[in-house]
Amino acid sequence: MLLFIGQRLLQSLFVMVAVAFLAFALFRFVGDPVSQMVGVETTLADQARLREELGLNDPFVVQFWDFTRNLISGTFGYSYRTRQPVGQMLLSRIPATVELGTVALLISLLVGIPTGIYTALRPKGTLSQSVLIATLVGVSIPTFVIGILLIFLFGVYLGWLPTFGRGQTVELGWWRTNLLTLDGWRSLILPALTLGVYQLTLTMRLVRSEMMDVMRTDFIRFATARGIPYRSLYFRHAFGNTLVPVITIVGLQFGGVIAFSIVTESVFQWPGMGLLFLESIRFVDIPVMGVYLVMIGLIFVIINLVVDLLYFMIDPRIRVREAA
């Protein structure tokens, strides 16, 4: 087990170095941050002095070393736009994004897994066919369109829910949450639904496909012939063997929800990391953009490591192969 974890950690280290290099290299070509920081009355001499102070005239290797050193030290450098520490800026936005992603993922799991099981066990039923058609529509419609439709229906036409912001929040140390207030939950419903609909359709279709494949295997036929109760057959034997691919997709979904919540946060003006990233692109705030991508890469690396460990515990074939 320790050797398995050590191998994954070593692989993760190389992945993070590659992500840091790509994140820094790509954003060197998005524009000149100095032109976004100064006004039209700023002289060329002042612009050159500011560029020198920011280290933009240094060689690429020197700039990348400074960027990596800031990442390792945990300071992450300073924003070109606000001159605030990048770490503090991201830290203040993490709670909003994590809470939004977690609730959206829970919606997709609590609805997608039971629906996938039902449609697998009743593939020709009218309700199952209706659900499949609805999920096909959900996959086809872009996220921002779903968000706009929900805003129009529940925010503008019915007036039941707020259409932007987090609502009332409560501070728990450095973590600012809106899960402890009614107004916060009302503000969370629409963006969470918008972000969770696409994940829900993927979860449902994956569970349905894997469940139908398992139900056609020989050991399920033998278990049925032995007279094992259907409840145990479906939920213990059949569904248990679909967990490995489902865990993979769920892990990647959570990382994707965190990373790609940019559109949803923009539509609902949700003050998370995605909205901060969009603002940074607008003002060519390279330190914030680079650290954001590295943080997203770290989230995916951690999720993949957790998924690998779950594989190791769930699937005995992996343990046997690693031991060999």
Side-chain angles (χ1 to χ4, degrees):
M1 184 70 170
L2 294 178
L3 180 61
F4 181 79
I5 295 175
Q7 292 175 347
R8 293 298 185 270
L9 289 176
L10 184 60
Q11 295 173 1
S12 301
L13 178 61
F14 285 108
V15 170
M16 289 309 304
V17 172
V19 169
F21 178 80
L22 291 175
F24 181 77
L26 288 175
F27 292 128
R28 283 173 52 86
F29 306 102
V30 296
D32 183 13
V34 174
S35 62
Q36 301 292 330
M37 298 169 61
V38 300
V40 294
E41 70 280 358
T42 306
T43 64
L44 294 178
D46 290 336
Q47 294 183 27
R49 178 179 54 81
L50 180 58
R51 189 174 286 106
E52 185 68 27
E53 291 177 355
L54 295 176
L56 297 176
N57 294 330
D58 295 337
F60 175 81
V61 176
V62 176
Q63 294 187 46
F64 180 66
W65 168 247
D66 292 337
F67 178 73
T68 306
R69 185 177 57 187
N70 289 332
L71 290 177
I72 296 174
S73 64
T75 58
F76 303 124
Y78 291 87
S79 168
Y80 290 162
R81 178 168 61 97
T82 64
R83 303 307 301 163
Q84 295 178 351
V86 176
Q88 293 182 7
M89 295 176 64
L90 289 174
L91 199 64
S92 64
R93 302 292 188 108
I94 286 176
T97 299
V98 170
E99 290 180 358
L100 174 61
T102 302
V103 174
L105 185 63
L106 287 176
I107 291 174
S108 68
L109 295 180
L110 294 177
V111 178
I113 291 178
T115 306
I117 294 175
Y118 177 82
T119 54
L121 299 179
R122 302 287 188 271
K124 297 183 180 180
T126 303
L127 181 58
S128 296
Q129 295 299 319
S130 302
V131 169
L132 290 176
I133 294 174
T135 56
L136 183 62
V137 174
V139 171
S140 303
I141 299 178
T143 301
F144 71 91
V145 176
I146 295 176
I148 293 174
L149 291 176
L150 291 177
I151 288 174
F152 174 76
L153 178 60
F154 295 102
V156 178
Y157 184 73
L158 297 176
W160 291 351
L161 298 171
T163 59
F164 65 92
R166 293 185 71 187
Q168 184 180 359
T169 59
V170 176
E171 291 188 6
L172 300 176
W174 64 272
W175 189 278
R176 182 183 293 271
T177 178
N178 60 330
L179 300 180
L180 299 179
T181 64
L182 179 60
D183 185 58
W185 274 104
R186 293 180 68 250
S187 300
L188 181 61
I189 291 175
L190 290 184
L193 283 176
T194 302
L195 196 57
V197 165
Y198 182 77
Q199 311 299 331
L200 185 155
T201 56
L202 292 180
T203 302
M204 191 278 292
R205 286 182 169 272
L206 175 67
V207 171
R208 177 179 180 272
S209 175
E210 293 296 328
M211 192 79 172
M212 292 179 69
D213 288 340
V214 172
M215 291 299 295
R216 289 192 290 264
T217 57
D218 291 336
F219 83 92
I220 293 294
R221 296 192 182 98
F222 293 148
T224 305
R226 288 176 56 192
I228 293 179
Y230 284 109
R231 184 183 298 274
S232 176
L233 183 68
Y234 294 153
F235 296 101
R236 180 181 176 184
H237 298 281
F239 181 66
N241 283 273
T242 67
L243 285 179
V244 171
V246 170
I247 288 175
T248 304
I249 294 301
V250 168
L252 295 178
Q253 276 184 342
F254 184 71
V257 163
I258 299 296
F260 306 121
S261 61
I262 298 175
V263 175
T264 302
E265 292 185 5
S266 176
V267 170
F268 292 92
Q269 289 299 292
W270 189 262
M273 293 191 298
L275 188 60
L276 177 64
F277 181 68
L278 288 179
E279 295 172 352
S280 302
I281 292 177
R282 177 184 175 188
F283 292 98
V284 198
D285 201 345
I286 296 176
V288 176
M289 291 189 289
V291 174
Y292 172 82
L293 282 189
V294 172
M295 182 175 293
I296 294 302
L298 180 62
I299 290 174
F300 273 101
V301 166
I302 293 174
I303 289 175
N304 285 330
L305 179 61
V306 172
V307 168
D308 287 340
L309 294 178
L310 291 175
Y311 279 177
F312 196 87
M313 292 185 291
I314 291 175
D315 196 339
R317 294 171 297 180
I318 299 178
R319 294 195 295 270
V320 172
R321 185 172 64 248
E322 292 295 330

